[in-house]
Amino acid sequence: MAYEFDTPVNRFGTDSMKWSVGEDELPLWVADMDFKTAPEIRDALRKRIDHGVFGYTEVPQSWYEAYSSWWADRHNFPLQTEWLIFTTGVVPAISSIVRKLTSVGENVLIQSPVYNIFYNSIINNGRTILESPLVYEEGRYSIDFSDLEEKLRDPQTSLMVLCNPHNPVGKVWEPETLAQIGQLCEKHHVIVLSDEIHCDLTDPGISYTPFASVSKTCRENSVTCLAPTKTFNLAGLQSAAVSIANPHLRHKVYRALNTDEVAEPNVFAAIAAVSAFTEGGHWLDELRDYLYQNKCRVRSYISEHIAELSVVPSDATYLLWIDCRNITQDSDDLQRFLRERTGVYLSEGSHYGTGGEGFLRMNTACPRSVLDDALSRIEQGMASYREYLKGEESE
């Protein structure tokens, strides 16, 4: 491999949210990789730092062109540069769009279990969460379209937040599925807000389909959130984009992002994105292979050593969704127990809404030695948890 992913990077003392933990703890929770970003990106940032002046910054034309070319080359969907609006992050954009495209008290539909911050963006803005839970059968997730249409039909439902690929279950939605979602949302006058931040982190040989690429219906009735931040580990640089083909919707979103003051870049935000999308392709290809091997390692280890747990099959993200229901329905308790006894810090499934109970989310984006340490600790912790449950039953 041309790039280095095996060497651990000490992140203690760097004000890392992920690593704000005890000295002996091993955090595998928030979606933040423990790898240095691509050297090409670091070189571009150093060059800018060496300039030495860090004043107010505009979004350069190269930023628009980089997004457009990347989506054309990687996803066979050339974004038009006029569709794109800079924003400081996908989460700020989602909150702004919820405020602009819906009214207080209206329903925002989500497909649970799903990224927990969606709930915050809805509740904090006085809107009502409407869940259409995914169906989990035989180890696979799918959409209950009867339930989805029933909830889209509600006249109070004005926006659907789609996660494509889906976090936390790692589902890459098929074009036919996306087309059906688009048709139902148009039929019931519901706008689709598609969060596609994980789109470049598919397993090798797997591709994702941009929601807006499926049909004219999907393109004209949607807003898509994009970013290089998950893919290239750049979240702290606050750099993202919103893509809207429909000029009427685009104007509304433009006004929302500017009113909320989340449409201006810091001095490094555009530089990092341009470098990522123009020079980071080879690094990403090696990263995807490394992440895939990590995910395979977790599946194999759990299958061989921890019979009570099973890993849900996935084709995207570096996050694994682990089914714990053969030993407990209370994965919150299991998460707490594992953290206290072993130091391994996973995400409890209840954070992701209906259907998350009984599951844990694991971040595998770390050097292999760190992952192996975590797996060994989890195995030991699960042995202790069995004894703990026996003690609970005997009382």
Side-chain angles (χ1 to χ4, degrees):
M1 297 177 70
Y3 298 98
E4 173 58 51
F5 300 107
D6 274 330
T7 302
V9 178
N10 184 0
R11 300 182 65 188
F12 281 110
T14 63
D15 299 314
S16 163
M17 176 190 296
K18 181 180 182 181
W19 283 88
S20 182
V21 295
E23 184 177 349
D24 295 323
E25 289 192 306
L26 206 171
L28 302 176
W29 64 292
V30 68
D32 175 332
M33 296 192 288
D34 288 328
F35 308 121
K36 293 181 180 180
T37 193
E40 294 84 355
I41 299 173
R42 302 202 305 271
D43 288 344
L45 293 174
R46 286 191 197 99
K47 183 178 179 180
R48 185 64 186 86
I49 288 171
D50 288 344
H51 181 265
V53 180
F54 309 117
Y56 296 117
T57 302
E58 295 182 339
V59 180
Q61 183 62 26
S62 58
W63 180 87
Y64 298 92
E65 293 168 354
Y67 268 91
S68 179
S69 296
W70 181 267
W71 258 260
D73 295 341
R74 288 265 165 169
H75 309 301
N76 197 31
F77 183 52
L79 303 175
Q80 303 303 305
T81 55
E82 62 266 23
W83 296 354
L84 294 164
I85 306 170
F86 176 88
T87 184
T88 55
V90 167
V91 169
I94 289 173
S95 292
S96 289
I97 292 163
V98 166
R99 282 193 291 275
K100 189 67 174 181
L101 300 185
T102 69
S103 297
V104 171
E106 287 186 336
N107 299 332
V108 178
L109 187 146
I110 55 177
Q111 296 173 296
S112 54
V114 74
Y115 180 45
N116 54 304
I117 304 302
F118 288 174
Y119 292 85
N120 298 347
S121 294
I122 298 166
I123 293 172
N124 292 345
N125 288 301
R127 278 63 172 173
T128 302
I129 294 169
L130 185 60
E131 293 181 311
S132 180
L134 298 176
V135 177
Y136 183 55
E137 293 179 336
E138 299 180 356
R140 294 283 180 178
Y141 279 92
S142 61
I143 295 172
D144 180 345
F145 277 103
S146 176
D147 179 76
L148 179 63
E149 180 161 22
E150 178 184 346
K151 288 168 179 175
L152 290 173
R153 186 184 294 119
D154 186 332
Q156 282 294 102
T157 304
S158 53
L159 184 70
M160 174 179 174
V161 182
L162 173 68
C163 202
N164 177 40
H166 194 94
N167 169 19
V169 309
K171 179 78 173 182
V172 175
W173 296 115
E174 305 86 353
E176 299 79 13
T177 299
L178 297 174
Q180 192 169 352
I181 291 171
Q183 290 164 3
L184 290 176
C185 286
E186 182 193 45
K187 176 181 177 182
H188 297 293
H189 310 290
V190 175
I191 297 168
V192 177
L193 172 55
S194 188
D195 175 1
E196 303 190 359
I197 195 171
H198 290 276
C199 67
D200 286 305
L201 292 170
T202 55
D203 293 349
I206 303 294
S207 59
Y208 106 108
T209 301
F211 179 79
S213 73
V214 173
S215 67
K216 182 178 179 180
T217 294
C218 292
R219 185 171 64 251
E220 293 299 315
N221 191 46
S222 66
V223 176
T224 302
C225 293
L226 310 164
T229 48
K230 284 286 183 283
T231 306
F232 294 95
N233 211 26
L234 300 170
L237 293 185
Q238 299 181 320
S239 183
V242 179
S243 176
I244 317 104
N246 183 316
H248 178 69
L249 272 179
R250 191 186 320 130
H251 176 74
K252 286 190 172 185
V253 172
Y254 177 83
R255 292 305 314 145
L257 298 176
N258 279 275
T259 298
D260 291 340
E261 304 294 352
V262 292
E264 296 180 2
N266 67 62
V267 71
F268 304 115
I271 290 171
V274 171
S275 178
F277 291 142
T278 58
E279 302 179 273
H282 294 303
W283 180 89
L284 175 59
D285 291 337
E286 291 196 10
L287 171 73
R288 290 169 66 209
D289 183 68
Y290 193 91
L291 293 174
Y292 176 70
Q293 296 301 325
N294 273 6
K295 289 162 67 175
C296 288
R297 203 176 191 93
V298 173
R299 292 189 184 102
S300 176
Y301 193 98
I302 287 178
S303 176
E304 293 177 17
H305 299 282
I306 313 175
E308 297 90 347
L309 304 182
S310 61
V311 180
V312 175
S314 74
D315 292 319
T317 83
Y318 48 72
L319 307 166
L320 286 178
W321 192 233
I322 300 174
D323 190 343
C324 313
R325 295 174 301 165
N326 284 334
I327 191 167
T328 182
Q329 293 286 338
D330 189 355
S331 58
D332 288 19
D333 181 63
L334 176 56
Q335 186 272 347
R336 176 197 57 77
F337 184 93
L338 289 175
R339 185 175 183 184
E340 290 178 355
R341 296 295 182 93
T342 74
V344 176
Y345 181 7
L346 306 175
S347 298
E348 52 265 62
S350 63
H351 283 180
Y352 305 94
T354 300
E357 309 87 353
F359 292 80
L360 294 172
R361 194 187 78 166
M362 180 181 188
N363 179 347
T364 68
C366 59
R368 206 146 289 153
S369 59
V370 176
L371 188 66
D372 287 344
D373 181 18
L375 290 170
S376 177
R377 294 194 202 188
I378 292 171
E379 181 183 5
Q380 296 170 22
M382 289 302 297
S384 298
Y385 191 67
R386 293 184 205 107
E387 297 303 313
Y388 162 75
L389 290 180
K390 287 178 183 178
E392 290 284 298
E393 292 171 357
S394 64
E395 291 182 357

